[in-house]
Amino acid sequence: MKNIKVLGTGCVNCRNTVALIEAVAKERGTEIALEKVEDMAAIIGYGVMSTPGVVVDGKVVHAGGVPNREKVEGWF
Amino acid sequence: MTTHTQAQGRLAQWWVVVVLASGLWVAAYSHLTDFANALLALLGLTRDTRLGEAIHFFLYDTPKVLLLLTGIVFVMGIIQTFFAPERTRALLAGKRVGVGNVLAASLGIVTPFCSCSAVPLFIGFLSAGVPLGVTFSFLISAPMVNEVALALLFGMFGWKVAALYLGLGLAVAIVSGLVIGQLKMEKHLEDWVQQIQNGQAASYEGDELDWVARFEAGRDHIRNIVGKVWPYILAGICVGAGIHGYVPEDFMASFMGKDVWWAVPAAVLLGVPMYTNAAGIIPIVEALIGKGAALGTVLAFMMSVIALSAPEMIILRKALKPRLIATFAGVVATGILLVGYVFNLVL
């Protein structure tokens, strides 16, 4: 079970990131707990300034744009 | 081992593509007039008629603008991979006011961020101890000195105009930041921002990228920017072609000329509610200037369209109280006015 958080204020890129992660996880058969973090203070708390950012199991693994598929596959 | 050779193979492929594309680019760019003339002749028109002249402008400008834009956007996409916002923040943290403002304004040009990241970026800078005024220098220069505008000005008016635009744009960002810093307006940040500012934020360093990833970033940048703005550019060129072909010489001089003192402030006011990207506005700029409008007036209009847009203010309103927003707009508007008058005086 992977714990994944997508940090973002809700613009198109953030929504695309969520959709991509869900699609890849489904393909791989990995169980994930996906959470969207929209609270600005919480986002800043992760040290991320360019959204969308992605946190996997408490660690920031990506920031600043939609990650590419290869990168997402690497997280699972 | 195999993945290593694969990666090397991909990098080699990229170099071949980049070198070939650069060659084609130069060849195409140096034959723009021939191309426009040939197509015009094919249409059975000559440049003696107004319609012919307008169409010639369109046929010459469209490939020129698109070529310049694609080239510059690719290069900028690569440069930006070296300046992730998190890295920019690390570069700015602990810099003194003054030096910090100059550095922040320069980094504003090359650091990528989309407008929905403006608030997290703003707060991220403050939480790392970057002073408010230095943060504003960054926020002002980012839209004001636009790489797309810079490239297009260079292509259409030469390096002197491009350098003046760059220098004065940076100057406005640096001085505006210094002024806002001097005014000590920290208490006009929204309360939740002030709380974060006092706390400590974690830091995220970002990935180390290889050159394949940098080239890919350049390609994606072309896709994202050129893919999005080309309709605006075509629309801009159409308007430009119309002005170029049909508006009489010196028509613009009567109300956008050097001698009209109120033209610069009017241009700034006119620009604020408009929101478009620099790419669409430059062809119009070119045509207006061709008809006797003063460069400073037109540039002031352009800067106010891209640096003082209403949507940007609405986004920033989440973090700034009205008085700070008003100060920001006032200081930047004053800076743009000065730039407009200086351009009109010098050129």
Side-chain angles (χ1 to χ4, degrees):
Chain A
M1 176 85 146
K2 291 255 176 204
N3 198 321
I4 298 181
K5 293 189 174 85
V6 173
L7 317 175
T9 43
C11 66
V12 191
N13 286 341
C14 309
R15 273 177 274 141
N16 289 343
T17 305
V18 170
L20 179 67
I21 291 174
E22 278 172 344
V24 172
K26 208 172 169 192
E27 248 170 53
R28 290 278 176 126
T30 314
E31 253 191 85
I32 54 167
L34 191 68
E35 190 191 333
K36 272 192 273 182
V37 179
E38 297 191 352
D39 177 47
M40 200 75 73
I43 295 176
I44 301 299
Y46 282 103
V48 165
M49 289 182 299
S50 40
T51 56
V54 180
V55 179
V56 177
D57 292 336
K59 202 168 161 256
V60 180
V61 292
H62 175 82
V66 182
N68 61 31
R69 184 169 268 270
E70 262 172 48
K71 201 172 177 186
V72 176
E73 283 171 351
W75 299 332
F76 297 126
Chain B
M1 182 63 195
T2 31
T3 48
H4 185 67
T5 27
Q6 261 177 8
Q8 276 190 331
R10 271 171 78 193
L11 186 58
Q13 267 177 15
W14 263 110
W15 276 113
V16 172
V17 170
V18 168
V19 169
L20 278 180
S22 310
L24 275 176
W25 192 97
V26 172
Y29 196 80
S30 51
H31 289 90
L32 286 168
T33 315
D34 303 340
F35 172 79
N37 288 342
L39 265 185
L40 198 69
L42 219 65
L43 289 169
L45 291 164
T46 63
R47 293 182 65 176
D48 301 334
T49 62
R50 288 190 160 183
L51 180 68
E53 186 61 38
I55 290 181
H56 187 271
F57 181 93
F58 182 82
L59 292 176
Y60 173 79
D61 251 40
T62 307
K64 177 173 176 175
V65 169
L66 289 179
L67 276 174
L68 273 171
L69 191 70
T70 309
I72 299 299
V73 161
F74 181 70
V75 172
M76 275 309 288
I78 291 176
I79 293 177
Q80 289 185 345
T81 61
F82 292 93
F83 296 95
E86 288 77 14
R87 178 137 186 259
T88 300
R89 172 173 67 176
L91 287 172
L92 286 177
K95 288 285 179 304
R96 278 184 304 138
V97 172
V99 180
N101 292 80
V102 175
L103 191 63
S106 318
L107 286 169
I109 305 170
V110 293
T111 302
F113 73 97
C114 77
S115 59
C116 55
S117 291
V119 171
L121 195 103
F122 181 79
I123 296 158
F125 277 22
L126 293 180
S127 67
V130 179
L132 185 65
V134 174
T135 304
F136 264 107
S137 281
F138 176 87
L139 268 188
I140 295 167
S141 109
M144 174 102 94
V145 185
N146 179 290
E147 82 257 22
V148 173
L150 191 64
L152 297 181
L153 283 176
F154 174 81
M156 289 173 180
F157 304 111
W159 68 269
K160 275 186 197 160
V161 171
L164 253 182
Y165 167 74
L166 175 69
L168 291 175
L170 282 174
V172 169
I174 292 165
V175 174
S176 301
L178 284 171
V179 170
I180 291 173
Q182 277 299 309
L183 293 174
K184 306 245 177 288
M185 298 195 70
E186 279 79 359
K187 60 178 180 295
H188 294 289
L189 294 166
E190 286 293 344
D191 300 338
W192 66 273
V193 177
Q194 295 189 35
Q195 276 159 20
I196 292 174
Q197 207 193 342
N198 299 328
Q200 274 252 302
S203 70
Y204 166 66
E205 287 301 321
D207 323 309
E208 213 26 68
L209 294 170
D210 58 11
W211 271 93
V212 173
R214 296 193 200 282
F215 280 136
E216 282 173 357
R219 178 200 60 198
D220 294 345
H221 207 227
I222 293 181
R223 218 180 265 163
N224 290 339
I225 297 196
V226 182
K228 219 181 281 171
V229 303
W230 71 264
Y232 300 98
I233 293 187
L234 283 193
I237 297 174
C238 282
V239 174
I243 295 173
H244 181 75
Y246 289 93
V247 176
E249 297 287 330
D250 295 333
F251 171 74
M252 294 292 167
S254 58
F255 55 94
M256 285 184 89
K258 277 186 187 193
D259 309 325
V260 191
W261 68 267
W262 50 266
V264 178
V268 172
L269 281 180
L270 199 65
V272 176
M274 295 182 62
Y275 184 63
T276 176
N277 36 58
I281 220 165
I282 299 259
I284 303 179
V285 166
E286 187 188 15
L288 286 176
I289 288 169
K291 295 297 173 185
L295 188 58
T297 310
V298 177
L299 272 181
F301 172 66
M302 191 181 96
M303 284 181 154
S304 107
V305 169
I306 52 189
L308 274 180
S309 72
E312 171 104 3
M313 309 269 182
I314 292 166
I315 290 174
L316 283 176
R317 178 66 190 85
K318 281 189 199 162
L320 312 180
K321 289 183 183 166
R323 254 184 85 179
L324 186 46
I325 297 237
T327 310
F328 163 68
V331 171
V332 176
T334 312
I336 295 175
L337 281 180
L338 285 176
V339 170
Y341 283 121
V342 168
F343 257 97
N344 282 352
L345 218 69
V346 172
L347 293 171

